[in-house]
């Protein structure tokens, strides 16, 4: 039995098994930790950790492709970095290294929406402790949590322009991916057919209509994320005005 073997019969993954549930618990712990300790994590001494995380993401992705080659499983129809979470991985690396707001604007939505789907309904054959299990969940956990880290810890915030920027990015990408799917027989971004395992796409109608439904859903959910995480300048102004009024009242009463 090899942790890097090709056969998955000895590591057959089952959704919501103990190993899957453990990953979801770990996700909840990390997200809560990022929010609760956001002020403590906002320090220049964590810069090395950001770079280290970027290097880790690249390294584990390289190892994944080496594993595919070694086991004779690398195929152009499924191994190109054209899945949403693969694209998000490289956006995360750019964001961690450069701190560019443009990378954050897109990653916030592609990372949260794409990785959450993968984490809760994973399309995966290999269970713990196979390498593919670690690769799959490590990548998706980080892709989900990195934009939250930059939101709560680094102070980045989405704007309504971020939503439209993401939708434009995806719609420019989509025709190219469709062409690649046609010539390779692939199913990148699930534009050719739905995944074989249970997923959110099962609720969005038959092919190709679920693509339209998915785009509308992505836009709607992106708006929800923007509303939840946007900078609330108005509320801050109101609070400052109220505090100023309280201070003036105290002066008059004194």
């Amino acid at each position: 039995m090899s942790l890097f073997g090709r056969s998955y019969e000895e590591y057959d993954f089952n959704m919501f098994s103990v190993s899957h549930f453990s990953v979801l618990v770990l996700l909840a712990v990390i997200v809560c930790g990022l929010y609760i300790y956001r002020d403590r994590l906002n320090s220049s001494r964590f810069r090395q950790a950001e770079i280290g995380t970027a290097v880790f993401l690249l390294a584990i992705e390289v190892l994944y492709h080496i594993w595919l080659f070694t086991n004779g499983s690398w195929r152009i129809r499924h191994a190109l970095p054209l899945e949403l979470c693969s694209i998000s991985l490289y956006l995360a690396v750019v964001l961690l290294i450069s701190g560019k707001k443009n990378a954050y604007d897109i990653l916030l939505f592609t990372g949260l929406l794409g990785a959450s789907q993968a984490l809760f309904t994973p399309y995966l054959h290999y269970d713990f402790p196979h390498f593919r299990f670690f690769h799959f969940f490590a990548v998706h956990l980080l892709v989900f949590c990195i934009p939250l880290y930059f939101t709560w810890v680094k102070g980045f915030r989405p704007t309504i322009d971020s939503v439209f920027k993401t939708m434009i990015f995806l719609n420019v990408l989509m025709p190219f991916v469709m062409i690649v799917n046609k010539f390779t027989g692939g199913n990148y971004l699930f534009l050719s057919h739905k995944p074989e395992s249970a997923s959110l796409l099962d609720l969005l109608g038959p092919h190709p209509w679920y693509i339209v439904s998915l785009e509308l859903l992505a836009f709607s959910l992106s708006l929800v994320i923007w509303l939840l995480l946007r900078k609330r300048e108005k509320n801050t102004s109101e609070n400052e005005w109220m505090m100023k009024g309280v201070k003036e009242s105290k002066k008059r009463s004194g």
Side-chain angles (χ1 to χ4, degrees):
M1 185 170 67
S2 171
L3 301 184
F4 292 87
R6 179 180 179 181
S7 176
Y8 60 83
E9 283 77 7
E10 296 177 84
Y11 300 93
D12 194 19
F13 178 82
N14 292 301
M15 200 178 301
F16 301 116
S17 59
V18 173
S19 58
H20 184 201
F21 184 72
S22 298
V23 171
L24 297 180
V25 171
L26 177 60
L27 172 65
V29 170
I30 294 173
V31 171
C32 290
L34 285 175
Y35 185 78
I36 293 171
Y37 298 105
R38 60 191 182 279
D39 293 331
R40 296 184 186 181
L41 293 171
N42 188 14
S43 172
S44 59
R45 68 177 182 271
F46 289 104
R47 180 58 184 154
Q48 291 183 343
E50 294 169 10
I51 300 298
T53 302
V55 172
F56 171 79
L57 279 171
L58 290 174
I60 198 170
E61 189 69 3
V62 169
L63 283 174
Y64 170 61
H65 284 274
I66 291 174
W67 172 72
L68 289 174
F69 272 114
T70 302
N71 289 283
S73 300
W74 199 98
R75 300 287 185 275
I76 194 170
R77 67 176 180 270
H78 65 75
L80 297 177
L82 293 177
E83 299 291 1
L84 188 60
C85 289
S86 297
I87 295 167
S88 297
L89 182 152
Y90 292 106
L91 285 171
V93 170
V94 171
L95 179 58
L96 286 165
I97 293 175
S98 69
K100 295 293 185 181
K101 179 67 162 52
N102 285 334
Y104 167 84
D105 285 339
I106 298 175
L107 176 64
L108 179 67
F109 303 106
T110 61
L112 294 185
L113 296 178
S116 60
Q117 163 79 359
L119 288 167
F120 284 95
T121 58
Y123 183 51
L124 180 67
H125 297 300
Y126 297 89
D127 205 344
F128 178 89
H130 195 276
F131 163 75
R132 174 58 175 150
F133 176 90
F134 286 107
H135 167 264
F136 183 91
F137 284 115
V139 167
H140 288 97
L141 281 170
L142 287 171
V143 163
F144 186 91
C145 293
I146 286 169
L148 292 179
Y149 167 80
F150 273 83
T151 301
W152 293 330
V153 177
K154 307 292 284 187
F156 286 39
R157 293 289 173 176
T159 64
I160 189 64
D161 289 342
S162 306
V163 176
F164 289 104
K165 187 184 299 183
T166 302
M167 297 309 297
I168 291 171
F169 172 79
L170 293 175
N171 279 277
V172 169
L173 181 66
M174 194 180 299
F176 171 73
V177 174
M178 286 180 170
I179 293 172
V180 173
N181 284 341
K182 180 177 177 61
F183 285 97
T184 65
N187 188 29
Y188 294 109
L189 297 180
F190 299 116
L191 294 177
S192 298
H193 57 80
K194 297 179 184 180
E196 297 175 3
S197 61
S199 73
L200 179 64
L201 301 186
D202 295 333
L203 305 175
L204 300 182
H207 183 275
W209 303 111
Y210 73 80
I211 298 173
V212 178
S213 302
L214 183 61
E215 187 158 8
L216 292 173
L217 180 63
F219 180 68
S220 301
L221 293 176
S222 295
L223 287 176
V224 172
I225 293 172
W226 166 67
L227 287 170
L228 291 173
L229 299 179
R230 75 192 191 283
K231 187 176 181 180
R232 292 172 173 79
E233 294 181 355
K234 184 178 179 181
N235 291 343
T236 302
S237 306
E238 290 177 351
N239 290 337
E240 291 176 351
W241 180 83
M242 290 175 64
M243 292 299 296
K244 184 178 180 181
V246 170
K247 290 179 181 179
E248 290 178 354
S249 298
K250 287 182 178 180
K251 288 180 181 178
R252 286 195 296 270
S253 61

